[in-house]
Amino acid sequence: FFFQAEDGIRDIGVTGVQTCALPISWLPLREAAPLLHFKSPRALKARILRGGFPPDCFRQLPSPSGKRHSYLVNVERYLRTLR
C-alpha cells in the first residue's frame, strides 16, 4: 500500500528521480479491515453504518449508478483515535 514520490534529493552522480515509499492513508474496506482487525470488510462497514466509527476516519463515495456506495478508511487516523 505504498506509492513512490519524489523526495527532492538530487546528486550529480545519480540519474533519474530519487524516490521514497510513503503510506497511502485512505484504503478501501477490503484492505483496511484486516489492518484494523475486523473479521471482514462487511463487519467494518457495519461499524461505520452503526455510527461506531469516527466520522473523520472514513469517506463515503457514491457509485456512478448512485445505488451502492463505496467507502475509504483512513487507517492511520483511526489508529490515532485509539491511543
Side-chain angles (χ1 to χ4, degrees):
F1 312 113
F2 293 89
F3 67 94
Q4 298 294 313
E6 182 176 343
D7 66 7
I9 298 172
R10 302 283 183 179
D11 186 299
I12 197 161
V14 177
T15 59
V17 175
Q18 299 296 301
T19 59
C20 61
L22 300 173
I24 296 174
S25 297
W26 294 95
L27 298 174
L29 291 178
R30 72 181 179 283
E31 295 176 22
L35 295 173
L36 299 176
H37 304 286
F38 282 86
K39 290 182 181 181
S40 68
R42 186 176 293 183
L44 176 53
K45 184 177 179 181
R47 171 79 62 88
I48 289 170
L49 295 175
R50 266 197 330 264
F53 203 84
D56 62 333
C57 295
F58 73 92
R59 293 181 183 169
Q60 181 179 357
L61 305 172
S63 68
S65 68
K67 294 181 181 179
R68 295 185 63 170
H69 299 285
S70 60
Y71 293 86
L72 295 177
V73 175
N74 189 315
V75 173
E76 293 172 31
R77 187 177 293 168
Y78 177 72
L79 292 174
R80 279 196 300 265
T81 67
L82 300 178
R83 291 182 193 164

